[in-house]
């Protein structure tokens, strides 16, 4: 018995999966599905984005 296995790169699997989700659910449905799959994330990005300190490039480079 001779069996052939086609190996697909992970990036190709992600592309195909994303296309299938968009086709089945539409772009908004795909985003909602991925949010649910990721347990909806955590925190409140809209609130938290304003809480971050303002840093200059020099400040960031000093943190290294």
């Amino acid at each position: 018995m001779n069996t052939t296995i086609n190996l697909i790169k992970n990036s190709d699997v992600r592309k195909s999966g994303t296309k299938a989700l968009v086709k089945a659910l539409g772009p908004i449905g795909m985003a909602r599905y991925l949010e649910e799959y990721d347990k909806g994330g955590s925190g409140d990005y809209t609130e938290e984005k304003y809480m971050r300190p303002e840093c200059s490039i020099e400040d960031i480079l000093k943190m290294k």
Side-chain angles (χ1 to χ4, degrees):
M1 177 181 225
N2 199 3
T3 303
T4 301
I5 299 174
N6 293 324
L7 299 178
I8 303 170
K9 295 188 287 183
N10 287 346
S11 60
D12 291 337
V13 171
R14 280 190 299 274
K15 282 182 193 175
S16 295
T18 301
K19 284 181 184 178
L21 286 171
V22 170
K23 182 177 179 182
L25 303 173
I28 302 299
M30 177 206 64
R32 289 178 59 201
Y33 171 81
L34 292 176
E35 253 182 7
E36 284 298 314
Y37 182 76
D38 188 32
K39 310 239 186 304
S42 64
D44 182 348
Y45 171 75
T46 304
E47 180 181 333
E48 292 171 3
K49 72 179 177 181
Y50 295 109
M51 294 173 56
R52 66 180 176 190
E54 293 299 324
C55 297
S56 67
I57 298 294
E58 291 78 20
D59 294 335
I60 293 170
L61 291 174
K62 287 178 191 174
M63 292 180 198
K64 285 187 172 185

